[in-house]
């Protein structure tokens, strides 16, 4: 695996955006603007929400299909240009029209060299099965100039078995585009989706950057839980927990994710007992 | 599986105790006192910490061995008497002398009918491998008059694969005797061990009661993170997060753990894709 950058610190940005279903041009511009802000703050890696260009709250499968674009379509090629221009790694979600005509809830990881991988969400939420074909491939783990980056989408990250896969494959940072619908929670409590991210980071000693939504889309509001968690699970930036756009930035010493030690004699991965888990 | 109690609500107590290594009589009395307090508050299920009679911070394997007792020794038979007297289910940890002479970090679940199961900790922390033989059997899931109760010990609960086993086997409530050593954390942050419990509850839609330690034992202090988490992951009682004894009590509607739905169309267990997790 490639070494992490020579100064060890990778500046990660997670962008919380307000998007509207069908307003593709405006949604792409919101993402581009946030990428520009992140680049201006010295970010090396930028994480965007799920389904950026299309929005999320589709009225029908037909509407989603009409908004889908191929993996080499305008959204991902636009991110390629911005990645090259600002020397960034960008991870973001989009509504993909697959090569066989299927519609997928996908995320791209791109850098100055182009698209490094496309991931398709494997765990679908609520009405998504009416719209999307679930993915059945592992989350990618990509060696970038800024460290090894894994990718999954939203509800995927609530399955600890799924987070384990890129973590065991050596991901330093897991990038999670999300659209977390707002749910009630007790006063003073952090959203459980954020706690799940923190626990997933801690349980694997990896960094996790989750980029969420804000605003209201066809009556659905969002958690606004954008967060960057360190390898110890504690937030380095966020959670925002407010209904407003945000570009969070945190300096992540990704070397910390290359040791899984959580005590002088423990290791969160080596201590697993997979023979007992069957 | 047996129905949960007719009024559906099970009063669960989790007891945070101050114990000292080797002070077996005093430690047993501290546990008995807490059980009495819990019973006086109407508890049906009482969870005690890990290694109650022996304490935790052994100077040597020999010291632990000298403090070990068989599963039908005075600690567990004492809990049986208290369970019968107060009509309780009691789960607590003890230093077990196994039938082959091995020393084990064990937990008993007892009710008025006697010992229902003995569990041996499978994931050992820090110096524990110098002292204990690791268990290699699944966490028990016991049908009690108060619902189905699973048992594991401390560091075990940080392995999501391990929590899945009793959860998939139908546990309504997971009882977790713990000795969580104090660790630094950012100001205002809840201890990560507590967040792991919350995430494990939420990820499986089960109740979890974790009973921790307080006080200082041979220079080791404890998190004091005793907590009872609901099936949505939010605390019903605690976390204490203070260095003082406590008997937390929460009414748990265990019917909530019998539905794994986390949206009208989702189910935290049925949505798993085990074929992809290999």
């Amino acid at each position: 695996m490639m070494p992490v950058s020579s100064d060890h610190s990778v500046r990660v940005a997670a962008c919380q955006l307000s998007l509207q279903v069908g307003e593709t041009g405006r949604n792409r511009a919101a993402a581009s603007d946030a990428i520009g802000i992140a680049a201006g703050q010295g970010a090396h890696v930028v994480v965007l929400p799920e389904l950026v260009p299309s929005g999320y709250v589709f009225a029908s499968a037909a509407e989603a299909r009409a908004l889908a674009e191929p993996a080499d379509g305008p959204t991902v090629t636009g991110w390629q240009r911005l990645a090259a221009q600002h020397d960034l790694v960008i991870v973001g979600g989009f509504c993909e029209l697959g090569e066989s005509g299927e519609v997928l809830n996908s995320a791209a990881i791109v850098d100055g060299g182009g698209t490094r991988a496309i991931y398709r969400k494997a765990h679908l939420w609520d009405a998504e099965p009416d719209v999307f074909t679930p993915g059945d491939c592992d989350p990618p783990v990509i060696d970038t100039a800024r460290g090894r980056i894994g990718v999954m989408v939203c509800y995927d990250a609530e399955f600890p078995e799924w987070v384990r896969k890129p973590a065991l494959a050596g991901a330093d940072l897991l990038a999670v585009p999300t659209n977390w619908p707002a749910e009630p929670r007790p006063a003073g409590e952090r959203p459980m989706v954020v706690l799940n991210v923190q626990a997933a980071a801690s349980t694997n000693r990896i960094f996790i950057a989750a980029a969420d939504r804000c605003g209201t889309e066809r009556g659905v509001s969002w958690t606004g839980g954008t967060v960057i968690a360190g390898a110890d699970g504690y937030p380095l930036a966020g959670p925002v927990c407010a209904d407003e756009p945000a570009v969070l930035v945190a300096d992540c010493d990704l070397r910390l994710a290359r040791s899984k030690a959580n005590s002088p004699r423990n290791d969160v991965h080596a201590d697993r007992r997979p023979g007992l888990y069957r």
Side-chain angles (χ1 to χ4, degrees), chain A:
Chain A
M1 94 182 45
M2 289 176 66
V4 295
S5 60
S6 57
D7 68 352
H8 304 303
S9 184
V10 175
R11 187 161 289 183
V12 176
C15 305
Q16 179 163 302
L17 304 182
S18 177
L19 307 169
Q20 287 297 325
V21 68
E23 299 191 11
T24 310
R26 191 181 299 184
N27 293 342
R28 285 191 196 119
S32 297
D33 289 350
I35 291 167
I37 291 168
Q41 295 185 9
H44 305 117
V45 178
V46 179
V47 184
L48 302 169
E50 180 183 6
L51 293 172
V52 167
S54 60
Y56 183 91
V57 187
F58 305 112
S60 67
E63 183 181 43
R65 175 172 295 279
L67 292 167
E69 54 186 295
D72 60 356
T75 296
V76 178
T77 53
W79 291 343
Q80 290 174 352
R81 279 192 299 274
L82 289 167
Q85 177 185 339
H86 297 296
D87 190 21
L88 295 172
V89 179
I90 298 173
V91 179
F94 68 106
C95 183
E96 183 185 3
L97 183 63
E99 293 185 356
S100 309
E102 72 278 30
V103 179
L104 301 138
N105 187 334
S106 298
I109 175 169
V110 306
D111 63 14
T115 296
R116 301 295 308 277
I118 302 290
Y119 168 74
R120 283 88 186 209
K121 188 178 185 179
H123 302 82
L124 298 182
W125 179 255
D126 199 43
E128 289 176 34
D130 296 341
V131 172
F132 297 116
T133 299
D136 56 10
C137 292
D138 281 2
V141 178
I142 303 298
D143 255 322
T144 76
R146 302 302 185 174
R148 276 171 80 89
I149 303 178
V151 179
M152 62 180 60
V153 176
C154 200
Y155 189 40
D156 280 328
E158 295 185 35
F159 294 84
E161 301 93 333
W162 204 232
V163 177
R164 277 284 197 232
K165 296 208 98 175
L168 291 172
D172 303 317
L173 167 69
L174 184 63
V176 187
T178 80
N179 282 190
W180 283 324
E183 296 195 342
R185 62 182 191 269
E189 290 291 329
R190 200 171 268 172
M192 193 56 52
V193 286
V194 172
L195 265 61
N196 280 332
V197 163
Q198 294 186 245
S202 163
T203 302
N204 291 288
R205 306 231 15 115
I206 56 174
F207 293 76
I208 302 182
D212 195 15
R213 296 277 300 277
C214 60
T216 302
E217 188 186 356
R218 289 183 172 162
V220 174
S221 57
W222 310 96
T223 300
T226 299
V227 65
I228 302 171
D232 59 5
Y234 294 109
L236 295 170
V240 177
C241 295
D243 187 17
E244 59 192 25
V247 177
L248 297 183
V249 173
D251 288 326
C252 300
D253 181 353
L254 295 187
R255 287 176 306 177
L256 296 173
R258 302 251 167 133
S259 163
K260 301 306 178 187
N262 56 337
S263 92
R265 295 181 57 177
N266 289 91
D267 177 303
V268 294
H269 283 168
D271 291 344
R272 295 174 69 241
R273 300 194 61 192
L276 300 182
Y277 300 156
R278 294 185 189 120

